[in-house]
Amino acid sequence: MAIVRMEPVNVQVKANWIDGTPREITWGEVRLPVTRLNAVRRETSAFRASVGPRTVFEIDTPGVRLVLSFQHRSRRWTVEGVDDEVGLS
């Protein structure tokens, strides 16, 4: 599977309140439960102080693999990549 990068799309995410890992994503009218957390990358030093750090999650949901990022300063979740073989309609 190959992840295709895309223009970031804002989504709503329900996350575990203890460790912050995503549990469910709402993308428009579609709700996707997170079935597997494949990778976590904490980017604490990669951005200017005005932008702030972010954490990137590679996750599986039923039928689609996503790259999901959380921007800590703005507290915003975005989808930045989708598996190229399966997409959302």
Side-chain angles (χ1 to χ4, degrees):
M1 289 194 250
I3 298 290
V4 175
R5 296 290 172 197
M6 56 187 256
E7 188 69 30
V9 176
N10 290 330
V11 292
Q12 294 180 356
V13 175
K14 291 183 182 178
N16 184 317
W17 67 276
I18 294 175
D19 62 8
T21 57
R23 297 291 176 220
E24 181 183 81
I25 301 165
T26 303
W27 186 342
E29 298 296 319
V30 178
R31 286 191 178 188
L32 301 167
V34 175
T35 56
R36 183 175 175 191
L37 180 63
N38 296 313
V40 177
R41 184 175 67 239
R42 289 178 174 78
E43 298 176 344
T44 56
S45 308
F47 297 94
R48 298 184 317 270
S50 63
V51 176
R54 75 178 187 164
T55 304
V56 178
F57 301 90
E58 187 174 312
I59 59 169
D60 286 340
T61 64
V64 69
R65 177 175 282 184
L66 301 171
V67 174
L68 184 67
S69 72
F70 178 69
Q71 298 169 351
H72 295 268
R73 187 170 304 274
S74 64
R75 306 198 55 79
R76 197 175 86 183
W77 289 92
T78 57
V79 173
E80 297 187 353
V82 177
D83 184 313
D84 67 344
E85 295 177 4
V86 181
L88 292 175
S89 51

